[in-house]
Structure formats: structure tokens, C-alpha cells
Amino acid sequence: MSDKIRNVQTTVLSDNWYTLRKVTYEFLGRDGQWQQHSREAYDRGNGATILLYNPTNQTVILTRQFRMPTYLNGNTDGYMIETCAGLLDKDNPEDCIRKETEEETGYKISAVQKVFEAYMSPGSVTEILYFFVAEYTKDMKVSDGGGLQEETENIEVMEMPFARALDMIKTGEIKDAKTIMLLQYAQINGLI
Ligand SMILES: Nc1nc2c(ncn2[C@@H]2O[C@H](COP(=O)(O)OP(=O)(O)O[C@H]3O[C@H](CO)[C@@H](O)[C@H](O)[C@@H]3O)[C@@H](O)[C@H]2O)c(=O)[nH]1
Ligand SMILES: [Mg+2]
């Protein structure tokens, strides 16, 4: 609880798939005066994401899928290259990301390492994202991956040299924040 806000009132504006709320409240400003504020907050739950890397072959596993919001905002074909990621269900982030990894990439991993967590868009989206890394090898591949049929995810699995992935940040072929964060984490910490 913050002693800098009071009289918080919440209205649901939309709950068709995820939930958009309008929140009005009084906020104690830096000048010591209470101000009336109103903010919208989009709640789509929390998520987890993972960079799969193979230090021997110097490769990483990424995914490619259509993302409508990016299509609406300048991404000409709507496709995004991203680290494997999913929304959390009732599971803890570790179990969730293992399950998501198998569904989306076809790799069955066990040991995962949490590296940090971050609010990805704190002015408008409630979500906190948990970031993981894990080593993978060929023999961990148990299926094609691709995501859940019933969710019509159509995910393409991409294995590529780590150096190529880093280069794709420079060329703009990779434009997804979580993916850039994890690739740079791997580079800074010499994972590969
Ligand atoms: N029918 C329908 N499906 C939706 C809607 N919005 C999302 N979906 C589908 O719901 C599924 C959710 O898949 P997950 O793999 O669980 O989540 P994600 O979308 O990959 O989320 C990850 O990436 C996001 C974007 O970077 C992250 O924000 C999120 O934290 C997470 O890491 C996707 O197939 C998505 O297309 C909708 O309005 N209607
Ligand atoms: Mg996903």
C-alpha cells in the first residue's frame, strides 16, 4: 500500500479477451498537494520468456510468428522474431517456461536459470515478465513445436548462429524488446 495514493476507483472498460481498466485516484504530488488522476491499465496477466542457447555450436533457438499489434503499427508483414515466451497460468514461472518451451520449440528442457524480471510497458500494461536462459542440445528435441493447435499459434522454430541473431538487432530484423534483452544478456555475460 502506498501512502501517496487514495480513493482508488476502478471501472472495467473491456474484458473481451484480456482486461482494460480505467483507474481514477488521488495522488500526492511532489508539492504536497493531492491531485486527481485517471489512468488506463491493460491487464493480460504475467509472462515468462527464455533464451535457449548452445555454447558448443554457438547457436540459439528463436521463434517467428504473426503479431497483429505490430502489423497495426508499422511492421509490414506482421511477423516477429522472438525468444520463446508465454503467459503464466497457475504454474510458477519456472514450470510455465519449461512447458511453453516444449509447446513452442519442441525442446524438452529441465534446468532453467532465471536472470531478471521486468515490467515491459509500465505506463499502460500491468504485466511483469520473468526472463530465463537455458542450454539446449539436439537430443532434447522431442517434437516439432509450433505452439498449440487450438490457439492457432503457427509458430516457426528458428535455430541460428548467435552472431547472426546479434546482427539482426542491428539490421532491425529483430525488434522485440524481450528478445533484444536476452540476446544482450548472453553477450554481456559471455554465455556463448
Ligand atoms: N482468440 C484470441 N487469441 C488471442 C488474443 N490475444 C492473444 N491471443 C492468443 O493467445 C495466445 C497466447 O500465447 P502465449 O504463448 O501464452 O503468450 P504470448 O502471446 O506468446 O506472450 C508472450 O509474448 C508477449 C509478447 O512479447 C509477452 O507480452 C508475454 O509476456 C509473453 O511473454 C497466442 O496464441 C495469442 O495469439 C485475442 O484477443 N483473441
Ligand atoms: Mg508464446
Side-chain angles (χ1 to χ4, degrees):
M1 282 298 283
S2 167
D3 56 4
K4 299 226 169 8
I5 63 166
R6 68 183 188 192
N7 292 336
V8 180
Q9 315 272 349
T10 304
T11 335
V12 173
L13 297 179
S14 165
D15 61 354
N16 188 51
W17 185 261
Y18 303 124
T19 309
L20 178 64
R21 295 187 182 87
K22 180 174 176 171
V23 188
T24 54
Y25 53 96
E26 289 174 65
F27 179 81
L28 187 59
R30 284 155 57 89
D31 61 1
Q33 301 296 310
W34 286 97
Q35 310 161 353
Q36 185 73 30
H37 281 197
S38 175
R39 296 288 182 274
E40 290 183 11
Y42 191 50
D43 183 351
R44 56 190 305 269
N46 295 325
T49 185
I50 190 163
L51 179 68
L52 298 180
Y53 67 99
N54 182 313
T56 312
N57 298 339
Q58 308 255 301
T59 49
V60 292
I61 301 289
L62 298 175
T63 63
R64 184 169 175 273
Q65 66 190 299
F66 183 76
R67 294 292 200 182
M68 175 49 89
T70 71
Y71 183 72
L72 296 177
N73 191 24
N75 188 17
T76 318
D77 67 3
Y79 276 85
M80 292 290 283
I81 297 172
E82 304 177 19
T83 46
C84 163
L87 299 174
L88 302 187
D89 42 30
K90 294 156 297 294
D91 295 335
N92 60 49
E94 284 80 6
D95 290 339
C96 169
I97 200 61
R98 280 191 202 99
K99 198 164 73 184
E100 203 66 33
T101 299
E102 189 171 339
E103 278 170 17
E104 292 194 354
T105 71
Y107 285 88
K108 197 176 186 69
I109 52 166
S110 50
V112 296
Q113 186 196 342
K114 186 181 153 196
V115 292
F116 46 75
E117 49 189 70
Y119 290 104
M120 298 301 283
S121 197
S124 52
V125 181
T126 59
E127 178 181 52
I128 192 162
L129 190 61
Y130 299 88
F131 288 75
F132 294 88
V133 295
E135 288 192 33
Y136 77 95
T137 52
K138 249 194 185 72
D139 55 308
M140 293 176 186
K141 184 92 174 161
V142 295
S143 68
D144 287 342
L148 294 178
Q149 273 308 325
E150 61 267 31
E151 286 183 9
T152 58
E153 288 190 301
N154 293 297
I155 294 170
E156 181 191 336
V157 184
M158 304 172 86
E159 181 173 36
M160 70 175 78
F162 180 53
R164 169 80 183 118
L166 288 176
D167 195 52
M168 287 171 111
I169 300 174
K170 280 198 201 125
T171 62
E173 289 161 276
I174 290 180
K175 269 200 172 75
D176 174 59
K178 62 181 179 295
T179 311
I180 296 172
M181 290 163 79
L182 278 175
L183 288 169
Q184 293 186 343
Y185 173 89
Q187 184 180 35
I188 292 164
N189 293 282
L191 293 191
I192 303 192

